Amino acid sequence: MLRHEIRPGRAVAGLVMLALAAGYAADAAALWDAPPAFFVALFTGGLWAAVLTTWVAYRIRRRREARRASREKDGAPASTSGSQAMR
């Protein structure tokens, strides 16, 4: 059993930040001459990708929970199934 929920949006955001750090490091070491607009575009595009990933994961999770709840509703209530004593 999982100890916590998987958060794919955070993973995407983390990968984007690692890519930014690698780009800045390469630029600082004079291995790569990147224009500043590249970093701005990578940052904003990466955050939008993380937002989209989070939204899709949220929708999938909500749909899965709704299916699970509807399956649980189909069973007989506990009071009529004989599992609880009637008063």
Side-chain angles (χ1 to χ4, degrees), residues 60-82:
I60 290 171
R61 194 175 332 121
R62 293 285 294 193
R63 180 176 285 180
R64 187 179 309 142
E65 289 172 2
R67 284 185 193 162
R68 188 176 301 140
S70 69
R71 265 189 262 134
E72 290 174 359
K73 277 186 180 179
D74 292 341
S79 62
T80 60
S81 66

Side-chain angles (χ1 to χ4, degrees), residues 6-32:
I6 297 171
R7 302 285 186 171
R10 289 184 183 187
V12 170
L15 289 174
V16 168
M17 294 305 141
L18 284 174
L20 278 171
Y24 275 121
D27 194 25
L31 298 174
W32 183 39

